[in-house]
Amino acid sequence: MTFLTPFMLWGAMAAGIPVAIHLFFRSRYRTVPWAAMKFLLTSVEQTSRRLKFQELILLLLRMAVLILLALAFARPISSMLKGTGRGEAVDAVFVFDTSFSMGASDGENKTRLDRAKAQASHILDELPPHSTIQILTCAGKRKALLGPRTPANLDQARDILTKDLELDHLSTNLALGVEEAYGVLQRGQASNKEFYLFSDMQKNGFDEQPAELKNALASIKEKAVVHFVRCGTQSKLKNGAVVNIVPQAGVPRPGERVDFAVFVKNTGTEPLEKTFLSLDVIEKKKKGDTDPARLPGKRNEKVEVPKIAPGATEAVTITVKLTEPGLTVLTARLTNDQMEGDNQFDQVIQVRDQVNILVVDGKYSEREPEKSSSFFLMHSLLPVKETERATYKYNPRVVPARLAAPTLLGNQHVCILVNCALEFKAGAEKLPDDFRQELEKFVRKGKGLIIFSGDNVVPDSYNRLLGDKHRLLPLKLKDVVKAEPTKPYFVNRSSFRDGPSVFRNFSEDKYYEIFDAVAVYRHLEMDEKTPFAKPEKKIASPKEDGGEAPQTAVVADVETENLAHVIMRAGTGEAVEQLGEKKSDIRVAERGGALAATKKVGEGEVIFMATAAGFEGFEEDTTRKSLMLPKWTTIHTLPTLLYFVEASLGHIAHGQSQAFNIGAGDTLSWFPTGNTDLVHDLVYPNSKVTRLGLPEKKAGRKVVTAADLPQAGVYRMIATATGATASETIDAATAETLGTPIAVTYEAKEIDRLSPLTDGEINSAIGFTPIHIVAGQAAAASTGEDRLNREWTVWVLLAVLLLALIEVAFAWFCSKAW
């Protein structure tokens, strides 16, 4: 039970007045001796006891009248007891969950948000005259007060429900909206207050900020009647989500058909089948380009998705043709499920004619190139004839470690260190300190670094200089592990499935069974349990792309500075058959230590290979004097080195374009390059334009930020000269011609926990029982009738009147002469 005017309960103290009167005016007697009264003593005592009992009853009746009168003035309300309320004006607050799970159709043409709007309109129709209304939305980290500007104008509220209420591509988070609603309710003037939460009651929304949500609802409960309006009737959905797009091999090039793995996850509770997936290519248009093959949204490929079990993820391969170098937008679309918000996934990729690669060799031999550490690696990077090298997708350049200069990194996309010493070591060429220092800037700008081990790689110096100082090592290095000559380690092919998706084909495709034959005689052990210490401050991540993109989008995340992924592991076992015979007989035991690992550093990527890239000499087998074994590995004697390098470069190239891909709700940080300050406008997917203005200087860098990106889709950043005016809308063709694309994807947290709470679970989570309503159900209780029934002041006043009449009648009865 609650009270609309609880301060009136202080009036119950008036119940002490009859007690005071009773004590003050009670009869007083003086003893007078009189012998004749002796015979009347018994009669007087009986009469006195009767009078005292009557006075006590009168006292209690008068006290009850005053207590009930105070209770009536406090206006008690309860949803458990029914009465005949008066339906006075109400201050109502509507909070709408606009997360994209509210777009689920529940097997009908009407979405959950449509149900919420219809129920809200019904509640508006039943509000008493002179009531006020305020409408709020919440999702992810976003909350908004939509109005109306005049709270008493219910027609404005209906317009908001019809025109302004739309879904965001954010996850459910109810706490922010409820906290804002409490402030709105405090500002209301009416004594009747009502709170309505419209949601599909996803578990995610209650778990995101549970303490804040519970406290805010408890505060609202003291002031208002709390309603939870459930807008989803189905707990089991048929839903598939496109979660990623990954190129399958190497670096995407113009004029080629490229395979992309589109990952589809079944986030529902039923098998996903009879759905179709398409992949579109949208390239930056040039002025005057009318080629129909380059029109936006052109569908290149459509395939049927195989049956996917609940909770499983399937990689669907789709081939598309890329025609132009530069930033290209890929759009994957899924059809035929019950929730639209996660059916589209946009991604910006960089299409390049060539990838410039600087190879730094720590044991370079000009006279005997085959003895260089990079000899086999260079053949893997250029597996073509001499006449074809100029047009090949990779453009590698090798330099000895002693000649590595910072200026050589200027136009490179990837740097590869092969068996390089960081400090002076007998018989080794030391990598110059200034080059090593420039490497950190190089990687943080979005470039790639691959490191191969060898005799010159000393774990202590690598941990100190590349690890602790520059944070360029994925994992700490330990001592060299040497296998017995007759029992080498072998690459565990199944371990590829735990790494980045571009390497997973190695574990699943029989074409790559040759990895099982890669023997590892020596490798550096990597410590997977003791990560490098986290940096104290957020590390800036400037991004420049060699002039290919005039501006760049970057979201630096200090948490990723320590997150490493193992790409490949060793397995203990023996090769029963040698290469060239039955590869199916090659036996590899369970997983061993890490052989390769990767880590994001700023906007770039580092891959560390714990074994060598090629020929590092032979070692004599002490058990068989005539047998000479490779000192480190046999990876260079097989095409496996080419496969691994190709996948690594593809992974790095894909990561370099991720600066142009962010999630809904994230803050977009745009770092312009160049000396001229330009005015920046952000074009939304619906062609609306927001002027971001001139760049600001932060930490010595120019930056433009945009925080409100609730919708998924392709945004365009346009830079114009100072003084140019921004239009309210820009047509799609103009945006594609002038703008740099930025792909925003839905907030993935929503589909990770796609399950609604029951009414009982909600009650347990918030600590009390609100009024539960199911939107759209005919059997749902009418909010208007409930409003009229829950206040029982009139019943209390009737009780006051009845008790007063009883008190008067009893007082008259007691005053009669007997």
Side-chain angles (χ1 to χ4, degrees), residues 490-505:
F490 288 87
V491 169
N492 190 330
R493 195 163 63 95
S494 65
S495 64
F496 284 115
R497 67 169 60 101
D498 297 328
S501 57
V502 72
F503 295 94
R504 290 175 191 167
N505 275 349

Side-chain angles (χ1 to χ4, degrees), residues 362 401 419-433 436 455-466 469:
N419 194 19
C420 291
L422 302 183
E423 296 179 314
F424 289 106
K425 185 177 183 293
E429 294 183 357
K430 175 181 174 295
L431 193 72
D433 293 339
R436 170 174 49 80
D455 294 332
N456 296 337
V457 176
V458 179
D460 178 65
S461 62
Y462 267 67
N463 288 333
R464 281 188 295 104
L465 299 177
L466 284 189
K469 187 171 183 179

